[in-house]
Amino acid sequence: GERDDKLNILCWEGYNSAEVLDPFREKFKADVHAESATNDPTMVNKIRAGETNVWDLVNNNNPWARKLMYPEGLLKPLNKEEFAPYFENMLPSFKFPYEWSMSLDGKDLIGMPQRFGPYNFVVNEDKISRKTAEEQGWHLWDDDHLNGKYGIQENDDWNVFDIFLIAGIDPFKIHTPEELEKFSVTAKKIFKNVKVIGDIAALNQAIVNGEIDAYLSGGTYTASPARLEGFTNIRAISPLENSTMWVEITSLVNNPVPTPLATEFLKYVQDPEIAHRVAF
């Protein structure tokens, strides 16, 4: 076909790095274009707005494929016989049929899980111990002792989850007017008393140099650059109650002119060495 040597990937960062893509380009003599975004709705809306003929693979956090893109006909199912065996090498929680990689009726395989991680908040353990942070969890944020000593990452959806959790409300449901009012009060308080609002790099710099004691949203994904540089006092915290996490699902876009390289890439990133590169 006309697109046998082409592949376009819409993804979170990592899949678009040269260390991941170059060996694939070489192996298949392929023309690969990968574009990364920093939130799921942007990617979903590109495909919804008619870019099914542009992209071959889309990589999103868990609810989007199952609850939105597949029901809207934006994705194609994967061949179960071909892809189910890969789940055998995954951790027990991901064994086939893994809920978030299946259609709502449980019949179709609509994507492959790859990376996952906790995403709650990050502390400087010299100021707040891991034990205190894990046990107090979201209550750490609902009194005044952290005022002026924390940062907020510019990350819309996760901050919404976090503010609901600080307010003591389940984020993942339809909310009552009373709950939304409580959310509003909590959001105003959190943003009024913040010291730094910025990206991951700015927050890690602020927590390392002692400007802030903690930040949200964050997880192993955001804390690891600081820890890699030797600042092991910077730690991602998963509260013992109401901890949240993300799981990425990579799916086949319903492109009218498909390329065989899309399913080849899904297999390629399941290779242990390549999976490690994607994760890093």
Side-chain angles (χ1 to χ4, degrees):
E2 58 181 281
R3 298 189 64 246
D4 282 2
D5 61 346
K6 306 243 183 317
L7 180 65
N8 295 327
I9 308 167
L10 190 56
C11 54
W12 282 89
E13 65 178 341
Y15 300 89
N16 56 340
S17 73
E19 302 90 89
V20 171
L21 295 180
D22 283 350
F24 185 85
R25 288 181 175 120
E26 217 162 286
K27 183 179 175 184
F28 291 97
K29 305 288 172 270
D31 175 10
V32 183
H33 169 69
E35 187 178 300
S36 104
T38 55
N39 68 72
D40 295 298
T42 297
M43 292 192 259
V44 172
N45 286 332
K46 273 177 183 276
I47 290 172
R48 272 178 143 176
E51 292 191 12
T52 43
N53 62 347
V54 174
W55 305 104
D56 300 300
L57 291 171
V58 63
N59 163 247
N60 283 116
N61 286 307
N62 46 318
W64 298 93
R66 178 178 164 88
K67 295 196 171 178
L68 221 138
M69 292 190 291
Y70 193 69
E72 289 183 14
L74 303 174
L75 305 177
K76 272 189 283 215
L78 293 167
N79 180 324
K80 283 193 270 198
E81 285 66 37
E82 204 177 345
F83 283 96
Y86 288 96
F87 288 79
E88 289 309 306
N89 295 325
M90 297 183 195
L91 292 168
S93 328
F94 295 92
K95 286 290 182 253
F96 189 83
Y98 173 60
E99 179 190 3
W100 293 105
S101 64
M102 305 302 288
S103 56
L104 287 166
D105 61 12
K107 288 185 182 148
D108 296 332
L109 177 60
I110 59 166
M112 293 299 284
Q114 184 84 22
R115 305 185 290 193
F116 65 95
Y119 216 75
N120 299 281
F121 57 87
V122 173
V123 301
N124 176 347
E125 277 205 90
D126 295 342
K127 308 287 181 67
I128 302 164
S129 77
R130 175 184 179 174
K131 186 177 187 312
T132 298
E134 287 178 348
E135 287 173 3
Q136 289 192 11
W138 300 107
H139 294 298
L140 194 70
W141 301 85
D142 66 14
D143 62 25
D144 293 331
H145 76 274
L146 262 186
N147 286 359
K149 293 192 219 159
Y150 61 86
I152 298 177
Q153 197 203 145
E154 295 163 334
N155 196 330
D156 310 344
D157 42 6
W158 284 102
N159 291 329
V160 173
F161 303 164
D162 290 353
I163 291 163
F164 270 119
L165 289 162
I166 293 164
I169 300 163
D170 176 1
F172 305 111
K173 62 170 198 167
I174 304 289
H175 297 102
T176 64
E178 294 74 21
E179 287 171 332
L180 290 173
E181 177 54 33
K182 195 173 182 198
F183 173 89
S184 175
V185 168
T186 308
K188 284 173 184 158
K189 177 182 181 294
I190 290 292
F191 277 92
K192 177 172 159 261
N193 297 309
V194 67
K195 178 78 184 280
V196 179
I197 298 176
D199 62 11
I200 295 169
L203 292 176
N204 280 340
Q205 193 176 345
I207 199 167
V208 162
N209 70 24
E211 200 183 338
I212 56 174
D213 296 350
Y215 68 77
L216 50 84
S217 309
T220 46
Y221 172 66
T222 69
S224 54
R227 293 177 63 83
L228 190 62
E229 285 177 29
F231 298 101
T232 51
N233 54 321
I234 308 305
R235 183 178 282 279
I237 298 296
S238 295
L240 298 180
E241 281 182 24
N242 300 328
S243 191
T244 61
M245 66 180 294
W246 51 272
V247 179
E248 279 180 358
I249 304 291
T250 309
S251 303
L252 205 52
V253 176
N254 192 4
N255 192 313
V257 187
T259 170
L261 293 182
T263 50
E264 289 296 342
F265 188 82
L266 284 178
K267 294 173 187 172
Y268 167 78
V269 289
Q270 292 287 330
D271 174 85
E273 191 191 329
I274 303 302
H276 187 263
R277 287 184 202 176
V278 172
F280 272 70

